Amino acid sequence: MNQYFATVARGLENLAAQELEELGAGAVSPGFCGVNFSGDRTLLYKVNLWARLPFRVLWKLYEFSCPDAKALYAGIQTIDWQKYLTPQQTLSVTATGGNAELNHTHFTALQVKNAIVDQQQGKFSGRSSVDTEDPDLRINVFIDKYSMCTVSLDSSGSSLHRRGYRPAMGQAPLKESLAAALVKLSGWTPDLPFLDPLCGSGTLPLEAAMQALNIAPGLFRERFSFEKWTDFDPQLLDQLIEEAEASQLDQLLAPILGSDIDAEVLKQAVNNAQSCDVDRHVKFAHTDLAYIEAPADRGVLLCNPPYGARLGDASELGGFYKLLGDTMKRRFKGWTAFVLSGNQELTKAIGLKPSQKTPILNGSIPCQLLKYELY
């Protein structure tokens, strides 16, 4: 079995571990900003195609002690790179971590590149060129505090949170992977109505719809990095894609809705829904928060209001948060509401006591996912 590492946003490691177990991963172990797991090539392709929370999936090739630059160079050269890279192919190296001697990631990456191309030149008449934009092989090197170096191949390429269905985005959009995580953390199930009354370009309703309809998020990507590997199995990937498409559901069990006061950003939401083929399932409405009504007696309301950090002025948002709280308690009795808040002072204006607070990072902004039971 191969050893893999799926990188995820800090704080979501346990949730991602659960998702990987559901996809069939073995030896699942959450770590810092990621999850270790094991599996075969089929699982690697499947995780890239189906996982909703990771940013990228790394295949661990080799580990060795790396106290200094000389040891790094020697360790990299012990790997037989012709198994993974021909001189005609391009490469890029990403380095993270470090120790007292290797404390500059650019130098570390350069040393790794030099060791690889020097090996090539010793065996062949040519060497790989560096391509930082779209390389054939993406190499990841991590040096921990104990001076152990882990060399991995990046199987994903561009971050998996970039599904490919969202060319249109409003201001300060949620990453698709975070939106998927919030939907999971809410405990929502597809038999309940789902509403985001501040939906912007629609990421939360769209991720909910993709989960409810069993749509694999990787179906909308142009390519995965592993498709350029020397051992790429196109028949296997085609088979997994066919199975994913065949497993999609045709109908929702309950409505999934989004609304916003901004008509222009709603056009973006509709375009995004069309891009991921859920436009006939998700309904968007141009509605002011003050006039929104619950579409059913029970359901889940999930929203990401402005924090005053990137959008709006915090001093002017108190009234908006009060309106959000009034709307929830007056018009959504019987529902469960979740608010992603990045501003504790503004949260107080909601006027309701949360039954649960879950720490979440939205990019670099410390937030809390607040749960409100509305009776």
Side-chain angles (χ1 to χ4, degrees):
M1 286 292 177
N2 296 322
Q3 301 300 311
Y4 302 117
F5 185 76
T7 65
V8 300
R10 185 153 55 99
L12 298 180
E13 295 92 345
N14 290 332
L15 194 64
Q18 178 184 334
E19 179 181 47
L20 289 168
E21 287 178 342
E22 292 170 355
L23 290 172
V28 177
S29 174
F32 179 71
C33 290
V35 182
N36 296 284
F37 65 102
S38 64
D40 57 14
R41 178 163 53 183
T42 300
L43 180 70
L44 177 67
Y45 291 9
K46 186 177 180 181
V47 169
N48 274 285
L49 188 62
W50 278 99
R52 302 182 192 276
L53 304 188
F55 294 139
R56 59 188 71 248
V57 184
L58 305 177
W59 174 24
K60 296 183 179 181
L61 284 187
Y62 193 52
E63 289 185 340
F64 59 92
S65 179
C66 176
D68 53 33
K70 183 178 179 180
L72 174 64
Y73 184 94
I76 294 298
Q77 286 221 317
T78 62
I79 302 172
D80 184 4
W81 286 101
Q82 65 180 328
K83 292 181 180 179
Y84 314 105
L85 184 70
T86 69
Q88 292 73 38
Q89 291 178 304
T90 58
L91 81 158
S92 71
V93 181
T94 300
T96 57
N99 57 25
E101 293 295 323
L102 294 165
N103 53 18
H104 196 295
T105 55
H106 178 75
F107 171 79
T108 299
L110 184 62
Q111 189 79 342
V112 171
K113 184 270 295 183
N114 289 340
I116 294 171
V117 299
D118 287 352
Q119 184 188 97
Q120 288 180 318
Q121 289 177 321
K123 294 182 177 181
F124 310 105
S125 59
R127 48 150 286 185
S128 294
S129 297
V130 173
D131 183 347
T132 58
E133 297 298 322
D134 188 26
D136 294 312
L137 191 70
R138 297 173 184 264
I139 301 161
N140 183 285
V141 174
F142 171 67
I143 300 174
D144 68 18
K145 62 182 179 180
Y146 304 107
S147 295
M148 289 299 296
C149 177
T150 302
V151 182
S152 305
L153 301 186
D154 181 349
S155 70
S156 305
S158 64
S159 177
L160 293 174
H161 87 267
R162 299 188 182 98
R163 310 284 198 233
Y165 69 76
R166 196 175 69 163
M169 294 184 290
Q171 290 180 287
L174 282 175
K175 283 186 172 72
E176 294 93 321
S177 54
L178 177 56
L182 295 176
V183 172
K184 288 179 178 290
L185 287 169
S186 74
W188 172 76
T189 52
D191 59 325
L192 288 174
F194 179 97
L195 170 66
D196 179 0
L198 309 169
C199 71
S201 55
T203 311
L204 284 168
L206 296 184
E207 288 294 323
M210 289 174 65
Q211 291 183 32
L213 295 168
N214 199 41
I215 297 175
L219 288 175
F220 306 102
R221 289 173 62 92
E222 290 186 5
R223 186 173 60 219
F224 299 101
S225 189
F226 64 73
E227 293 182 59
K228 290 188 173 185
W229 289 2
T230 55
D231 67 345
F232 171 53
D233 186 341
Q235 288 76 29
L236 174 58
L237 180 59
D238 287 344
Q239 176 190 336
L240 291 172
I241 289 174
E242 289 176 7
E243 292 173 356
E245 291 174 340
S247 71
Q248 294 180 17
L249 304 178
D250 293 326
Q251 298 293 331
L252 292 175
L253 297 177
I256 294 178
L257 310 165
S259 65
D260 204 281
I261 194 174
D262 188 334
E264 288 302 313
V265 81
L266 278 175
K267 291 179 182 178
Q268 297 178 9
V270 171
N271 289 337
N272 291 338
Q274 292 171 344
S275 296
C276 61
D277 201 25
V278 298
D279 51 305
R280 66 186 179 92
H281 301 284
V282 180
K283 305 303 179 186
F284 292 106
H286 180 212
T287 308
D288 190 319
L289 179 62
Y291 303 110
I292 199 164
E293 298 284 349
D297 293 335
R298 55 194 289 265
V300 170
L301 182 154
L302 175 59
C303 65
N304 175 39
Y307 315 147
R310 288 179 289 186
L311 292 177
D313 184 346
S315 64
E316 298 176 357
L317 288 172
F320 177 81
Y321 272 72
K322 182 179 185 303
L323 173 61
L324 176 61
D326 291 345
T327 300
M328 291 193 304
K329 63 188 176 186
R330 291 175 183 172
R331 298 180 184 170
F332 286 84
K333 291 180 180 179
W335 282 56
T336 305
F338 293 84
V339 177
L340 183 64
S341 172
N343 188 316
Q344 293 186 14
E345 289 302 312
L346 286 174
T347 300
K348 295 176 183 178
I350 291 177
L352 295 168
K353 184 177 180 180
S355 60
Q356 183 177 309
K357 299 179 180 180
T358 304
I360 295 286
L361 274 177
N362 182 5
S364 61
I365 303 174
C367 297
Q368 289 184 318
L369 183 63
L370 306 173
K371 179 180 181 179
Y372 299 96
E373 303 285 356
L374 305 174
Y375 301 109

